[in-house]
Amino acid sequence: IHVSGENLLVIINDILDVSKIESGKMTIEKTSFRLKELVELFKLVYIPKAEHKGLQFDLNIDPRIPEYLSGDPVRLNQILVNLIGNAIKFTESGNIKLDITLQNNFDKEYWVSFEIKDTGIGIPPDKLDSVFRSFTQASTETTRKFGGTGLGLSIVKMLTELMGGYIKVKSELGAGSTFTFMIPMAIGEEVTEEEISTAPGDLKNCLQNARVLLAEDNAMNMLLAKKILERYKVFPDCAENGAEVLELMKTNTYDIILMDIQMPVMDGHEAMLHIRNVMHNPVPVIALTAHATMDELNKCFDSGMNEHVSKPFKAEELFMKMQKLLSKNLVNGEK
């Protein structure tokens, strides 16, 4: 049931992305971010996935790349997730390598190259020209064995071009593939926050010892979230509505709150306004919402939430955002 549901969700999300891009409604953000931080958090999810298959995952980042860049880290992450995910999926033995290098610097515009190389099944020569087309896979055998919609690489190409870049592929059947995309980014402004340690050991430690409050009114959703958190030895306190959240916070200190939005008695927004404006508590909060529209997300941030995860959420995304917020507290001495 879980796998079937995930497959259906992938299809829906991919079709929505293609629709938004083709209708011109996909916008590319220009925000300052640290590429190294994005990559370090990315490694925490995908190195274990590779190791689980017995694959070696190597990652190199060019030290000449500025610490702060201006671009769209969300769409960049989407491209990398797709390409690295494919590399792991289509590689049974050997290694996967991600090289990030600075190619050119013209008048404060930095062209950054991302090369993903694997030792997987490869792509037949007659299929190389079509892999970026919608609903296209290398063969019907690939579809039967590995699944997928045939939209992932099409979305990657469209996102890369929306960001002003391009992508190319080299491959040899049975000997692996190399996908290389290049995008231009401006130098970003330094983000005014403390340097964040993203060493995997530190993040794993702070996650396992985190004091977490989970607010969720649906019993099945709460059970699922608890089971996912317990994988990392996180055993949260639970509340069924915002009023219970406030009561628990009177007698307990939490490192992070996972807050459902739609709850009876008191919803997530009301609880957040009380936490920030009455209790003056800076505890990091991740919104768990089934509504991923821009208006709803802005409402979450306006009420004082720090991050959001759309339901049904992926464990990897939730852990990455928890680790990011917890690591900030760890560095700032709030833990």
Side-chain angles (χ1 to χ4, degrees), residues 105-119:
N105 174 16
F106 298 112
D107 192 26
K108 296 184 179 180
E109 183 178 65
Y110 292 82
W111 279 85
V112 181
S113 168
F114 299 80
E115 182 182 87
I116 299 93
K117 187 174 184 179
D118 65 59
T119 57

Side-chain angles (χ1 to χ4, degrees), residues 161-320:
E161 292 175 350
L162 275 177
M163 298 169 77
Y166 62 88
I167 186 169
K168 59 184 180 180
V169 59
K170 294 189 301 182
S171 185
E172 183 179 344
L173 192 61
S177 303
T178 301
F179 285 85
T180 305
F181 69 95
M182 286 184 60
I183 53 174
M185 289 181 280
I187 191 165
E189 296 181 0
E190 183 173 349
V191 180
T192 56
E193 62 183 22
E194 296 291 331
E195 185 72 16
I196 300 170
S197 170
T198 54
D202 291 342
L203 290 174
K204 183 178 179 181
N205 181 63
C206 79
L207 185 62
Q208 288 186 350
N209 293 297
R211 293 158 294 186
V212 178
L213 174 56
L214 171 63
E216 172 61 68
D217 68 306
N218 184 286
M220 188 59 68
N221 288 345
M222 181 180 288
L223 176 63
L224 175 61
K226 286 173 64 178
K227 290 294 184 184
I228 290 173
L229 290 170
E230 286 170 6
R231 295 179 191 171
Y232 276 66
K233 301 189 183 334
V234 176
F235 303 96
D237 289 344
C238 297
E240 295 184 1
N241 57 65
E244 291 185 10
V245 168
L246 302 183
E247 284 299 314
L248 285 168
M249 291 183 67
K250 290 178 182 179
T251 54
N252 298 282
T253 300
Y254 296 101
D255 298 310
I256 195 164
I257 298 175
L258 308 180
M259 183 84 77
D260 185 26
I261 300 301
Q262 293 184 319
M263 295 183 291
V265 183
M266 179 184 289
D267 67 22
H269 294 304
E270 292 178 271
M272 276 307 308
L273 291 172
H274 189 91
I275 291 169
R276 298 298 192 227
N277 300 330
V278 179
M279 303 176 75
H280 302 290
N281 193 319
V283 59
V285 178
I286 298 178
L288 303 178
T289 173
H291 302 286
T293 64
M294 189 56 66
D295 287 344
E296 182 62 32
L297 299 183
N298 287 336
K299 189 176 178 181
C300 290
F301 294 130
D302 289 343
S303 66
M305 299 182 187
N306 304 90
E307 286 283 0
H308 80 279
V309 174
S310 298
K311 295 192 290 187
F313 61 83
K314 292 183 180 294
E316 293 89 348
E317 181 184 7
L318 178 63
F319 286 138
M320 285 177 72

Side-chain angles (χ1 to χ4, degrees), residues 1-67:
I1 292 172
H2 175 72
V3 171
S4 297
E6 284 289 304
N7 288 340
L8 289 172
L9 189 61
V10 167
I11 294 170
I12 293 169
N13 286 337
D14 284 351
I15 291 174
L16 288 174
D17 277 344
V18 170
S19 177
K20 283 191 290 185
I21 294 171
E22 292 183 342
S23 64
K25 294 182 179 180
M26 176 76 76
T27 57
I28 299 298
E29 301 291 333
K30 292 288 185 182
T31 58
S32 289
F33 70 100
R34 293 177 65 235
L35 180 60
K36 183 178 179 181
E37 179 183 333
L38 184 151
V39 170
E40 288 293 332
L41 290 172
F42 186 85
K43 284 166 58 178
L44 291 174
V45 174
Y46 283 92
I47 286 181
K49 283 181 176 289
E51 291 177 343
H52 181 71
K53 291 188 68 174
L55 305 174
Q56 182 177 339
F57 192 132
D58 297 318
L59 191 152
N60 300 299
I61 183 166
D62 192 335
R64 298 175 300 162
I65 297 174
E67 181 175 10

